[in-house]
DNA sequence: TCTTTTATGATAGTTTTACTTTTATTTTTA
DNA sequence: TAAAAATAAAAGTAAAACTATCATAAAAGA
């Protein structure tokens, strides 16, 4: 985790881990705009000032969660792809890993629940970069996990077809759409081809989209 | 324009049009989070209360602009596609219309500048639906212009290939990515394959992506 | 034309958000 | 066991996000 994201490392103390754990749940419950440090402080029975000792503001906390999610996804993928040679299989695994909700209880961090992080990404992730601070944040490497995973995926696409010219754009399209299309299915179904959140249908669409592009 | 978006129609008065005109410019300058009705009121020499008589809150104003942009884009496309029969040509025109910054001065509204609306969409459009109010907003038809354009595009795709199964998802992917990829080129170039904002390169990518999918 | 409605301007006030500061108390570590 | 570090408690500030009131000006209707 990039140290510029926090003032004191939240994973290193009981209070810090409480902040991480309940902050994520409350953001998911209320939405990022309605979330405040005051509400979080009340929930975990500390004070606003207590939270400000860990995070400069709520936007940095959001970026923390989003980064955690993408780092964790890259970590998961590095295992899954480890002893697979066939790039087609690799890409299919990537798509499924991006789309599928994390299964059950494979807890990697005490504080942060994968399932909650997965939901947060669907609703709030783009707010992490859609800010006038993008340039500064980017200079401080605060989007590194997202960009790293994008490069991993782009490289896998090039393994499959080394002559494909738009691997990075296709990789970021995949990363964005694996969550946005799920959001559409759930909330604005006219924008998708399914009336309910259906990961299987989304995987079929993305498989078709990505391999058509790479095969063309 | 959906009447539920405003309390008093801003196009019908001098003050209303001033709000629309300068509101858009200030949002683009400061970013939506930093934008307030107070700042807008100072700019146009009225009071906060004056603006609240037109819009319930700043989020409704944002949705107003986004809707204006998508309605206007559908209107532009209805002309462009009017006497073209070849669906391939139609899709290419759609892609170019979505990607290219609006040319010069073809002003359709005194109050709202197309160029400013185009910029707003790149930075702020997804914040219009990434809110806990999506369901309510959607019930009130507040996303109709976006959804209508999506259906127009999806139908054109089906004209090109009636057997394609994911026309709505592909259309919304196109609508989202025509702006998101431009944002990436400008701000997070690692996520794209270009170091600067290059509409031509983006068009090439989207042409390839969409036609590969439809041809496959 | 006179009256009534409607829009705007001016002013003030409330609650919540997003912080900062200070001091006392506890916990950790050297 | 003393010093350092982290937390709790309390208070305060500036700005954001509204709401309310009243006077005046402009437009519209009878």
């Amino acid at each position: 985790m990039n140290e510029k994201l926090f003032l004191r490392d939240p994973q290193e103390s009981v209070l810090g881990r409480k902040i991480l754990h309940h902050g994520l749940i409350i953001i998911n419950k209320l939405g990022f705009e309605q979330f405040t440090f005051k509400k979080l402080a009340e929930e975990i029975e500390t004070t606003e000032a207590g939270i400000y000792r860990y995070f400069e503001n709520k936007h940095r906390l959001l970026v923390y969660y989003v980064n955690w999610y993408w780092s964790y996804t890259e970590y998961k993928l590095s295992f899954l792809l480890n002893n697979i040679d066939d790039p087609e299989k690799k890409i299919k695994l990537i798509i499924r890993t991006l789309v599928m909700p994390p299964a059950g209880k494979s807890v990697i961090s005490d504080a942060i629940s994968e399932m909650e992080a997965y939901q947060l990404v669907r609703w709030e992730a783009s707010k992490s970069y859609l800010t006038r601070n993008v340039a500064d944040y980017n200079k401080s490497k605060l989007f590194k996990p997202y960009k790293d995973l994008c490069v991993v995926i782009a490289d896998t696409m090039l393994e499959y077809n080394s002559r494909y010219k738009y691997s990075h754009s296709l990789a970021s399209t995949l990363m964005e759409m694996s969550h946005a299309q799920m959001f559409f299915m759930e909330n604005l179904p006219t924008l998708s081809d399914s009336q309910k959140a259906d990961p299987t249908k989304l995987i079929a669409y993305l498989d078709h989209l990505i391999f058509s592009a790479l095969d063309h």
Side-chain angles (χ1 to χ4, degrees), chain A residues 113-154:
Chain A
S113 138
E114 293 166 50
M115 198 59 207
E116 295 281 344
Y118 170 80
Q119 203 205 312
L120 178 113
V121 166
R122 208 168 345 128
W123 283 82
E124 320 290 354
S126 31
K127 294 169 194 166
S128 67
Y129 59 77
L130 290 175
T131 159
R132 302 292 140 158
N133 304 322
V134 225
D136 284 349
Y137 273 51
N138 196 28
K139 224 170 229 166
S140 307
K141 317 267 181 217
L142 297 194
F143 301 117
K144 191 169 184 295
Y146 187 82
K147 287 155 70 179
D148 283 355
L149 180 54
C150 182
V151 169
V152 167
I153 297 175

Side-chain angles (χ1 to χ4, degrees), chain A residues 52-70:
Chain A
Y52 277 108
R53 266 183 241 118
Y54 283 86
F55 289 97
E56 216 177 305
N57 54 53
K58 68 175 186 173
H59 191 255
R60 300 248 163 184
L61 179 59
L62 174 67
V63 178
Y64 186 98
Y65 291 130
V66 173
N67 280 0
W68 183 91
Y69 182 80
W70 293 122

Side-chain angles (χ1 to χ4, degrees), chain A residues 94-120:
Chain A
I94 289 169
I95 293 173
R96 278 145 190 81
T97 304
L98 289 173
V99 168
M100 292 302 289
K105 272 198 181 180
S106 67
V107 181
I108 225 96
S109 153
D110 282 358
I112 296 178
S113 138
E114 293 166 50
M115 198 59 207
E116 295 281 344
Y118 170 80
Q119 203 205 312
L120 178 113

Side-chain angles (χ1 to χ4, degrees), chain A residues 29-199:
Chain A
K29 193 164 132 196
L30 305 180
F32 184 65
E33 288 73 21
Q34 302 310 312
F35 166 80
T36 68
F37 279 179
K38 183 102 185 284
K39 290 170 185 169
L40 173 55
E42 273 159 24
E43 178 74 23
I44 62 181
E45 282 168 323
T46 182
T47 59
E48 259 183 294
I51 298 168
Y52 277 108
R53 266 183 241 118
Y54 283 86
F55 289 97
E56 216 177 305
N57 54 53
K58 68 175 186 173
H59 191 255
R60 300 248 163 184
L61 179 59
L62 174 67
V63 178
Y64 186 98
Y65 291 130
V66 173
N67 280 0
W68 183 91
Y69 182 80
W70 293 122
S71 302
Y72 165 70
T73 302
E74 197 197 332
Y75 168 83
K76 247 180 10 182
L77 274 173
S78 74
F79 273 82
L80 282 169
L81 305 181
N82 184 35
N83 42 0
I84 297 174
D85 287 322
D86 181 8
E88 187 185 331
K89 275 191 187 163
K90 285 191 186 178
I91 293 170
K92 288 197 167 178
L93 256 174
I94 289 169
I95 293 173
R96 278 145 190 81
T97 304
L98 289 173
V99 168
M100 292 302 289
K105 272 198 181 180
S106 67
V107 181
I108 225 96
S109 153
D110 282 358
I112 296 178
S113 138
E114 293 166 50
M115 198 59 207
E116 295 281 344
Y118 170 80
Q119 203 205 312
L120 178 113
V121 166
R122 208 168 345 128
W123 283 82
E124 320 290 354
S126 31
K127 294 169 194 166
S128 67
Y129 59 77
L130 290 175
T131 159
R132 302 292 140 158
N133 304 322
V134 225
D136 284 349
Y137 273 51
N138 196 28
K139 224 170 229 166
S140 307
K141 317 267 181 217
L142 297 194
F143 301 117
K144 191 169 184 295
Y146 187 82
K147 287 155 70 179
D148 283 355
L149 180 54
C150 182
V151 169
V152 167
I153 297 175
D155 287 348
T156 312
M157 288 169 171
L158 289 174
E159 264 181 63
Y160 180 85
N161 174 359
S162 62
R163 292 160 66 209
Y164 184 68
K165 285 178 166 252
Y166 314 105
S167 56
H168 291 83
S169 288
L170 190 61
S172 57
T173 297
L174 174 60
M175 288 173 76
E176 290 292 313
M177 286 304 115
S178 56
H179 289 93
Q181 292 290 331
M182 196 69 103
F183 181 90
F184 293 157
M185 283 177 174
E186 279 176 341
N187 300 287
L188 301 164
T190 317
L191 300 176
S192 75
D193 302 278
S194 171
Q195 288 313 298
K196 39 179 99 169
D198 180 351

